[in-house]
Amino acid sequence: MKRDLFGLTLSELQALCAEQGFPKFAAKQLCDWMYKKGVTTFDEMTNLSLAMRGWLNGHCLLGRTFPVQTQTSVDGTKKYLFDCHNEADVNNRGEHHFVESVFIPSGERATLCISCQKGCKMGCRFCVTGQQGFHGHLSASQILNQIFSVPESETLTNVVFMGMGEPLDNYDAVYSALEVLTAPWGLAWSPHRITVSTVGITPVLARLLEESDCHIAISLHNAYPTERADIMPMEKAYPVAATLAMLKRYNWYGQRRISMEYILFKGLNDDLTHAAELVRILQGLHCRVNLIRFHASPGTPFRAPSDETIATFQEYLKRHDINCTLRASRGEDIMAACGLLAGTQAPPA
Ligand code: SF4
């Protein structure tokens, strides 16, 4: 089986070169071709020796694939479908699994929301991905391929790990992708162009805080533990109180931004008692709250609150000195909005 070199870090490529007797500098050349020039074949890597290109063609591949389907929303949001069939996946029974990435243009910003797993184990009850179950991790190559292979790749200003899957449940691959995005031998992006979202797997989050300066978004959604556990089963294993306590200790850390994602559900978490509890648990943490109106999705019993309820909730947070924004809904008509990614092909038009 051929080895996928796309997604490997400089040190992993140096190890491969040493193993095969290629010069050490060839690893840096491979990075330049894959990550800075974005080539998709070894034959284009013209400063590598012919012998090395021959060996690479025989033993390795570059896991670059392009979207198999694109849907465009009336608001300009685009949803891309990638086939993540992986011959090397031991769990794969010949099935094809798809993941989705969402391109969200907004003024000067061009954000790509990417997936890190096929499905998800976390089981959040309001999320279409969570209802599908888990079908495997994406490799670093498959994560990065979404960024490199959308048509807007070169114009992206931001990447958010908020698509299908829980990034901290696939830490090694996500961390390799972060390295490629931020290292001088990779895309050399500032980590502040990247946000990793998590339900709050506290020990892994502690590791991420040590190893990367990227922004963090916590999927909070309810400040009361028992109510949060009703919609997010992982609350039982990783209570958000412990996550917040750990974040408060890291509060001084660099220029990173910590945000709390709070989807408002009608009658569940949208009254002023919930707002007051949210204010209480966030005391002492410098963070922003992103309010998100729930997007009605197939198979869930949840509903969105009225505009008035949302405005009252937001007003309460602001009056209590919480930096708070209401995230505009994007791509709802193509099932690209928050919590709606299913990794399924759209029916033919
Ligand atoms: Fe997984 Fe995120 Fe959906 Fe929860 S909301 S099930 S963590 S993809």
Side-chain angles (χ1 to χ4, degrees):
M1 184 176 300
K2 289 186 174 182
R3 182 170 182 192
D4 186 358
L5 299 197
F6 189 67
L8 293 193
T9 62
L10 178 61
S11 54
E12 288 168 328
L13 290 165
Q14 283 169 339
L16 177 96
C17 287
E19 210 177 275
Q20 296 303 324
F22 298 127
K24 192 176 175 187
F25 62 78
K28 177 72 170 38
Q29 290 173 314
L30 275 165
C31 287
D32 282 347
W33 286 113
M34 288 192 294
Y35 306 135
K36 294 199 189 300
K37 301 190 178 81
V39 303
T40 54
T41 66
F42 294 119
D43 291 330
E44 293 167 88
M45 301 182 177
T46 48
N47 60 358
L48 301 183
S49 68
L50 274 177
M52 183 170 175
R53 275 183 266 162
W55 183 86
L56 289 169
N57 275 320
H59 296 86
C60 302
L61 55 88
L62 295 169
R64 291 287 306 278
T65 61
F66 292 90
V68 293
Q69 191 178 70
T70 305
Q71 288 175 269
T72 304
S73 161
V74 287
D75 65 20
T77 300
K78 288 186 183 172
K79 185 167 79 168
Y80 295 106
L81 190 73
F82 287 92
D83 184 348
C84 285
H85 179 69
N86 185 352
E87 302 287 351
D89 184 348
V90 288
N91 295 321
N92 195 299
R93 297 176 294 276
E95 301 159 1
H96 281 248
H97 289 289
F98 296 90
V99 298
E100 290 168 331
S101 317
V102 181
F103 172 68
I104 310 155
S106 175
E108 302 277 282
R109 286 167 77 95
T111 303
L112 190 70
C113 174
I114 58 171
S115 296
C116 63
Q117 293 178 317
K118 304 171 220 175
C120 186
K121 293 178 204 163
M122 302 298 123
C124 304
R125 283 182 54 220
F126 52 84
C127 170
V128 175
T129 309
Q131 301 314 305
Q132 287 186 336
F134 177 69
H135 302 286
H137 294 299
L138 295 194
S139 63
S141 170
Q142 290 169 322
I143 293 170
L144 287 165
N145 179 59
Q146 299 165 68
I147 301 167
F148 280 77
S149 299
V150 294
E152 299 82 4
S153 180
E154 293 191 2
T155 64
L156 294 177
T157 60
N158 298 80
V159 162
V160 294
F161 286 74
M162 292 186 180
M164 299 168 67
E166 161 57 54
L168 301 190
D169 186 45
N170 187 16
Y171 186 76
D172 290 344
V174 167
Y175 186 70
S176 293
L178 290 175
E179 255 196 288
V180 170
L181 288 174
T182 57
W185 46 262
L187 285 187
W189 275 27
S190 157
H192 299 151
R193 292 168 66 180
I194 305 164
T195 301
V196 174
S197 167
T198 175
V199 296
I201 302 182
T202 313
V204 190
L205 180 58
R207 206 175 142 194
L208 180 66
L209 291 170
E210 292 291 345
E211 295 178 349
S212 166
D213 274 337
C214 66
H215 294 319
I216 306 290
I218 305 294
S219 302
L220 181 54
H221 310 320
N222 200 314
Y224 290 111
T226 48
E227 292 183 17
R228 186 171 187 261
D230 277 346
I231 54 168
M232 300 178 69
M234 289 311 284
E235 165 68 21
K236 290 181 194 135
Y238 300 106
V240 80
T243 308
L244 296 180
M246 193 265 293
L247 285 173
K248 286 174 189 175
R249 291 200 296 275
Y250 279 88
N251 212 9
W252 48 271
Y253 209 77
Q255 296 298 309
R256 101 162 70 240
R257 188 176 61 224
I258 308 276
S259 47
M260 300 292 143
E261 308 292 300
Y262 195 98
I263 302 178
L264 284 153
F265 302 99
K266 183 179 180 180
L268 280 187
N269 64 353
D270 60 348
D271 61 22
L272 293 188
T273 319
H274 287 87
E277 184 63 5
L278 185 56
V279 169
R280 192 190 70 75
I281 66 169
L282 294 182
Q283 259 172 23
L285 180 64
H286 182 67
C287 68
R288 181 170 85 178
V289 173
N290 287 327
L291 296 177
I292 306 156
R293 177 201 304 278
F294 176 67
H295 307 286
S297 57
T300 66
F302 307 110
R303 295 288 168 264
S306 66
D307 288 348
E308 196 188 344
T309 304
I310 293 173
T312 308
F313 195 96
Q314 184 174 14
E315 197 46 45
Y316 183 94
L317 296 187
K318 283 185 173 167
R319 263 192 286 120
H320 289 80
D321 294 328
I322 298 274
N323 179 4
C324 169
T325 56
L326 177 61
R327 195 192 291 162
S329 177
R330 300 291 303 266
E332 209 170 340
D333 55 325
I334 55 168
M335 294 284 286
C338 190
L340 297 184
L341 299 184
T344 48
Q345 285 180 283

